[in-house]
Amino acid sequence: MKSLRNTALGLSMVVASAPFAAADGHASLTIAIVNNGHMINMQTVAEAYTEETGVELNWVSLEEGVLREQVTSDTATGGGQYDIINIGMQEAPIWGSAGWIEPLNFSDAYDVEDLLPAMRAGLSHDGTLYAAPFYGESSMVMYRGDLADAAGVSIADNDSWENVKAAAAAMHDPDNGVYGACLRGKPGWGDNAAFITTVANSFGARWFDENYVPQLDSPEWNAAVNFYVDLLSSYGPPGSEGNSFNEILALYNEDKCGLWIDATIAASFLENENVRYAQSPNAGNPVGANWLWAWAFAIPAGSPNAEEAQKFIEWATSKEYVQAVGNHPEFGWGSVPTGQRASTYELPEFKAAAGFAEAEMMAIDSAAPEATDLKPYVGVQFVAIPEFPEIGSAFGQEMAAALSGAKSVEDALAAAQAAAVAVMDEAGY
C-alpha cells in the first residue's frame, strides 16, 4: 500500500516557514476556514479573543473544495502557510496517525468528556484527539411545511425515496420560481459525492467489497444514481451541477426550494418560519442514509505557533464560545455552533431558540460510521482510507457530468469505477 504522503501528493516533507509575529510583538495566527455561516460568524466573535490576548488572527476563508485541496497540499508538504486548519473526520485520524497534525491536549476546564462521543471518536486515532470539533452534523430533510400542506403531501421520518420524490413533484412550481428538490450537485468528495453516497447507501450500495475492490459498477449504484439524477433533473433548479451548501442555502432562503436534504447545521441559518424537519429517507436500507461529519480545528505538525494555536482552539471549541455566540448582539442562541457538545443541548436559551435541535440530535445519534457486514470500512459519506479523496473527487466529476446530461449515468459510473480501480491498484490493494 502506498504511503499516505505519496497517496496525497507524491511530495516529501519540507521545513515549515518561520513564525510570523504581529507588529506589536504579540503572536499572530493564520487560520484556514471553510466559508460557511458559523465560521464567518466566528471572525466577529473572535475579535474579543484578540482584545483579551493580543493574538492577531488572520483568516483565510475558502470554498469547501478549494479549502480541502489547499490544506492537504500545505499540510502534506510542511509548507507552514497555516497555523490552524479546518479539517474533518476523513482527515483527522489518518493525518494524526501519519504525524501530519499535532495531538491536542486541553485543560481540565475544557471538559473533553462533554464532546459528543461520535464527534470525539471520529476526530481521534488510538484514543488521541487530533482535531477539536467546532461544530458537528449529520444530514436530514428540511422542507417547506406551507408548500407541503398546500400540495397535500407530507414527509415522514425515514420516509421512502419514492414518497420524497412525490412530495418534490407536488411542490415543484418552476413558473413561480419554486423547485421541488434542492440537492448538492457540485463535484467534490465532500460535495455531490457525499450526498450521493448516502442515497447509494440507502439503496444497499457500497464503495468497496471486503477486499477493497471498487463496486461502483453494481446494480445498487446504478439504481441510486439514476434515481438521484432523475429527481434533480425533474424537480431541481437549473444548473444544479454547480450547487453546493452555500448556493442551496441562498436558494432556500429566497423561498425557491420545496425540500433540501443536507447538513443538519443548515437549520441554524434557515429563515423561512415554515420549515419542518424529517430524518433522512431510504430505499430499504436506513444504515448510512444520513452522514456524520465535523468541521474541526487542527494544528499542522511542526507549527512554530503550536502553543498559541492550541490555546485558540481550546477557546473556539469551548462551552464559553457557545455562550459568547448565544449572548452576542449580532447572533443569538439560534446561531450557536451545534453538534459538538452535549451541554449545548441542555441550555434553556438554546432549546427555546432552536426548533431543529431534537431532529439534529436524532440524526447524529442514528448515523452509523462503523464497518458493517455490508461495508468493510469506516465512514458514512466517505471511506476512511487515504486514497478516498482522490477516488471521491473523480467520482464527483463523473456524477456532475451525468447530472448535466453530458454523460449517461451508466457511462459516468463506468468511468468512476475505472478511476477507482486505477487508484486502488496503484496503492497496492
Side-chain angles (χ1 to χ4, degrees), residues 236-299:
S240 285
E241 64 274 11
N243 287 343
S244 184
F245 179 91
N246 286 334
E247 290 83 5
I248 301 173
L249 177 60
L251 287 170
Y252 200 103
N253 284 335
E254 293 167 1
D255 295 334
K256 293 182 178 180
C257 298
L259 67 86
W260 181 20
I261 306 171
D262 209 301
T264 53
I265 203 73
S268 299
F269 302 99
L270 297 182
E271 297 169 359
N272 191 295
E273 62 184 12
N274 294 299
V275 63
R276 295 177 189 167
Y277 308 101
Q279 298 303 297
S280 291
N282 68 83
N285 179 31
V287 178
N290 51 298
W291 69 55
L292 186 70
W293 185 253
W295 276 114
F297 288 119
I299 303 169

Side-chain angles (χ1 to χ4, degrees), residues 31-50 57-62 86 134 297 312 315-316 321 325 328 330-331:
I31 308 172
I33 57 172
V34 66
N35 66 339
N36 62 28
H38 284 310
M39 295 295 178
I40 293 170
N41 291 353
M42 166 173 274
Q43 296 176 57
T44 299
V45 180
E47 291 171 0
Y49 184 86
T50 295
L57 305 174
N58 303 304
W59 305 94
V60 180
S61 180
L62 301 168
N86 257 176
F134 181 58
F297 288 119
F312 175 80
W315 171 80
Y321 181 82
V325 177
H328 197 282
E330 290 186 38
F331 306 122

Side-chain angles (χ1 to χ4, degrees), residues 342-427:
S343 57
T344 301
Y345 293 84
E346 300 169 359
L347 296 170
E349 302 96 330
F350 173 70
K351 290 194 286 188
F356 58 86
E358 183 178 354
E360 179 178 61
M361 278 307 303
M362 187 182 301
I364 290 172
D365 287 344
S366 66
E370 300 83 8
T372 68
D373 290 341
L374 176 63
K375 64 180 185 70
Y377 46 83
V378 173
V380 181
Q381 77 283 12
F382 62 85
V383 181
I385 59 173
E387 294 78 15
F388 181 75
E390 183 178 357
I391 293 171
S393 295
F395 172 85
Q397 291 289 345
E398 295 298 333
M399 296 305 100
L403 183 59
S404 71
K407 283 188 175 182
S408 69
V409 167
E410 290 69 25
D411 286 347
L413 281 171
Q417 171 74 4
V421 167
V423 171
M424 296 301 278
D425 284 350
E426 184 182 357

Side-chain angles (χ1 to χ4, degrees), residues 32-118:
I33 57 172
V34 66
N35 66 339
N36 62 28
H38 284 310
M39 295 295 178
I40 293 170
N41 291 353
M42 166 173 274
Q43 296 176 57
T44 299
V45 180
E47 291 171 0
Y49 184 86
T50 295
E51 291 176 7
E52 181 177 341
T53 65
V55 175
E56 180 181 328
L57 305 174
N58 303 304
W59 305 94
V60 180
S61 180
L62 301 168
E63 183 272 333
E64 185 172 322
V66 176
L67 174 83
R68 287 191 169 106
E69 291 177 3
Q70 292 199 10
V71 163
T72 300
S73 175
D74 191 69
T75 306
T77 62
Q81 186 175 355
Y82 307 114
D83 299 297
I84 299 172
I85 52 175
N86 257 176
I87 61 172
M89 291 180 170
Q90 204 284 334
E91 303 95 341
I94 297 172
W95 293 12
S97 174
W100 286 17
I101 51 179
E102 301 282 356
L104 299 178
N105 296 289
F106 298 131
S107 67
D108 290 343
Y110 181 77
D111 191 7
V112 71
E113 297 297 329
D114 184 48
L115 297 178
L116 293 177

